[in-house]
Amino acid sequence: EEYLGDGFMNAVGACVDRAKKHGMLAICSGEGFKAIFKDINVDQVIEGGQTMNPSASDIADACCKINAENIFIFPNNKNIIMAAITNTG
């Protein structure tokens, strides 16, 4: 992490003000799964699955919307793992 005045740079280069220690990003397919993840307080949910993998950019954009020092990414599919790892810095 790099200190930037009132915030820190997180793994994807976004400035965070340390509002919380951990955030969560889930990648899933279907409105039902999305609703479940939102019900258990996952910060961001993006569409993805077996045949519709989100890009590294999609994952980075979603991470930038999460105001947390650390972000846990739940990829839902082994094909998405490399795109998620790309965003770890």
Side-chain angles (χ1 to χ4, degrees):
E1 287 181 303
E2 177 185 343
Y3 182 67
L4 290 178
D6 293 316
F8 284 79
M9 293 298 288
N10 67 9
V12 294
C15 187
V16 295
D17 64 6
R18 295 181 171 253
K20 61 183 179 177
K21 183 94 171 146
H22 304 291
M24 295 182 284
L25 165 64
I27 301 164
C28 67
S29 58
E31 290 300 315
F33 283 117
K34 182 177 182 177
I36 290 169
F37 281 119
K38 286 296 191 179
D39 284 346
I40 60 171
N41 296 319
V42 170
D43 298 289
Q44 289 287 315
V45 180
I46 58 175
E47 192 76 20
Q50 185 65 31
T51 58
M52 43 190 209
N53 302 332
S55 68
S57 177
D58 293 337
I59 295 171
D61 290 345
C63 286
C64 286
K65 296 176 184 174
I66 300 172
N67 192 11
E69 287 182 57
N70 304 291
I71 300 170
F72 293 93
I73 302 172
F74 303 101
N76 184 36
N77 186 289
K78 66 181 180 179
N79 296 332
I80 300 170
I81 293 173
M82 285 307 295
I85 289 172
T86 300
N87 288 294
T88 61

